[in-house]
Amino acid sequence: MMNVKHIKSIVKSNTKGLVFTACIVVFSMYLSNIQSIKDATHLAATAFAIIIGVLLSPWFFKYQHTFQAGVHFSAKKLLRLGIVLYGFNITLTELLSVGFNGFILSTIVVSSIFITSVIVGTKIFRLDKETSMLVGAGSAICGAAAVLALESSLKSDPFKGILAVGTVVIFGLIFMFLCPFGFAFDLIPGFDQNAMGVYMGAILHEVANVAGAADMAKDMANFDQKAANIAIIIKMMRVILLVPFLLIVTYFVAKNQHSDHGKTAKTLTIPYFAFAFLGMIVFNTFLASRETFLGIDTNTIVSIGRNLCTICIVFAMAALGLQIDFKKFLKSGARVFGLALFLGIALLIGGYFLTLIFKGILW
């Protein structure tokens, strides 16, 4: 009986925020389907959702107590569900085509950006090591999810996590728009669509940023689904690296610090959705070899999965936009903002040359 009441409570607390976010999603998808608007802007529903979310963010914060639970659910749970369902767009053949070399590229990005963040953050921007580590984790691995996971492991001040999340959300969104525009207007020399896929997967902060940028690029330029898949695969390799990253960082932090105030280590946050994403790829590969599954046409199953994936990601993009509090961020996080900007530029420039180095190896 208590379980039923608990479920009802969860549904009730999320409903208003989900309905609010759903209104943005419906309007965004409506705008993206108007041909005249599509021809003029080349923006996908994901882009409209984030723009509308940002514009409505002051109103959201005014009534945050009413909508927060549902918006948070959209930004976290639906995003992860959307990424899992993205596996319907990828087969094992494509995943293996990126393979070990993609893993090496992802490892280089994660390790170099995180180490740079710790050194530059503490030496140049005079931030404490924990804040530098949080910003570095968010920039290097998978945005807000990495920040929150590392914050839990370090047992740091929650405000440090809020500042770090703010930076990776803002720069993730900026770069999400820069990448497809830069590719569409030939501002990135030496890149074909596959190179752009590798580049986006290697430098963008959030998984939703990669999915959104790929979606926009398909509408704006010669960027097909294969290139979009490469971007997501590279990004998901960075996400999967969160597991060993947390274990290694936590080990060294525990080794170098004394156990004071009687604190005990918290359970590490493992990104299980990344492994579910891999499982969905295996399932999609299985479906590709059959005409029916449980009496249902496999093309229908894949189509439904892809549509649900799109809806979930648009929900997540709208929710991320709503949660950007620019006033609080600019007031409290100038040095944190500076570090995130430095890391963003490092990702843009370093990622470009790293992609060129791997040209002929990954594709």
Side-chain angles (χ1 to χ4, degrees):
M1 190 67 177
M2 290 298 292
N3 288 335
V4 174
K5 288 183 179 180
H6 182 62
I7 293 172
K8 287 182 178 180
S9 176
I10 293 175
V11 172
K12 184 177 180 180
S13 63
N14 283 281
T15 299
K16 292 181 180 179
L18 283 172
V19 171
F20 177 46
T21 310
C23 291
I24 299 176
V25 170
V26 171
F27 188 53
S28 299
M29 298 185 82
Y30 170 73
L31 290 176
S32 68
N33 285 320
I34 297 177
Q35 194 61 44
S36 58
I37 294 178
K38 190 173 183 178
D39 293 339
T41 65
H42 299 286
L43 296 180
T46 48
F48 283 116
I50 194 67
I51 292 171
I52 296 171
V54 170
L55 293 176
L56 293 178
S57 61
W59 194 79
F60 164 71
F61 282 108
K62 184 177 180 180
Y63 300 99
Q64 187 173 2
H65 62 283
T66 302
F67 299 113
Q68 184 173 13
V71 171
H72 183 78
F73 181 87
S74 300
K76 301 300 179 184
K77 304 298 184 181
L78 291 184
L79 169 60
R80 293 179 180 182
L81 176 59
I83 297 307
V84 171
L85 292 173
Y86 200 93
F88 277 110
N89 292 289
I90 303 170
T91 63
L92 279 175
T93 302
E94 293 172 318
L95 184 62
L96 293 174
S97 68
V98 176
F100 182 72
N101 293 314
F103 175 78
I104 294 298
L105 182 147
S106 300
T107 303
I108 293 172
V109 171
V110 170
S111 57
S112 60
I113 292 299
F114 181 74
I115 293 172
T116 299
S117 181
V118 174
I119 295 173
V120 173
T122 55
K123 301 296 184 182
I124 298 178
F125 290 96
R126 302 299 178 184
L127 294 168
D128 61 272
K129 184 176 288 187
E130 284 188 348
T131 300
S132 300
M133 292 170 70
L134 291 171
V135 176
S139 300
I141 307 173
C142 54
V147 174
L148 297 174
L150 184 58
E151 179 190 352
S152 175
S153 300
L154 296 177
K155 303 180 291 294
S156 59
D157 184 343
F159 185 67
K160 296 177 182 179
I162 291 172
L163 290 177
V165 167
T167 63
V168 298
V169 168
I170 288 176
F171 284 106
L173 296 178
I174 292 173
F175 295 162
M176 184 189 75
F177 285 102
L178 284 180
C179 284
F181 274 95
F183 182 64
F185 292 99
D186 295 322
L187 300 177
I188 309 176
F191 272 22
D192 57 14
Q193 60 177 343
N194 291 330
M196 194 63 207
V198 171
Y199 185 62
M200 290 193 300
I203 73 164
L204 292 179
H205 295 62
E206 300 270 1
V207 181
N209 297 151
V210 178
D215 203 15
M216 284 188 280
K218 285 190 286 186
D219 284 338
M220 297 175 64
N222 180 28
F223 192 85
D224 60 20
Q225 186 62 49
K226 178 184 176 183
N229 292 350
I230 290 175
I232 290 292
I233 292 169
I234 293 293
K235 180 59 185 178
M236 291 309 296
M237 285 187 173
R238 289 168 63 196
V239 172
I240 292 170
L241 286 173
L242 179 59
V243 179
F245 169 83
L246 288 175
L247 297 173
I248 293 171
V249 170
T250 304
Y251 169 77
F252 280 105
V253 168
K255 183 178 180 180
N256 295 326
Q257 291 182 348
H258 294 291
S259 180
D260 52 2
H261 305 298
K263 291 182 179 179
T264 56
K266 293 185 179 180
T267 303
L268 295 180
T269 302
I270 307 299
Y272 292 109
F273 73 98
F275 298 104
F277 165 75
L278 295 176
M280 192 59 71
I281 293 176
V282 173
F283 180 58
N284 187 49
T285 305
F286 168 75
L287 292 178
S289 65
R290 301 172 65 91
E291 294 184 359
T292 62
F293 178 70
L294 299 177
I296 305 173
D297 181 70
T298 53
N299 290 328
T300 301
I301 297 174
V302 172
S303 178
I304 292 174
R306 290 177 178 178
N307 288 331
L308 288 175
C309 166
T310 299
I311 292 172
C312 287
I313 289 177
V314 176
F315 259 93
M317 298 303 287
L320 287 174
L322 287 170
Q323 294 179 87
I324 296 179
D325 188 345
F326 287 104
K327 290 182 179 180
K328 183 176 181 181
F329 176 77
L330 293 176
K331 181 180 179 180
S332 305
R335 286 182 296 163
V336 180
F337 183 89
L339 174 60
L341 175 61
F342 181 89
L343 295 178
I345 294 173
L347 281 166
L348 287 174
I349 298 175
Y352 171 75
F353 289 106
L354 191 61
T355 301
L356 291 180
I357 290 173
F358 277 81
K359 189 174 183 179
I361 299 175
L362 286 176
W363 74 95

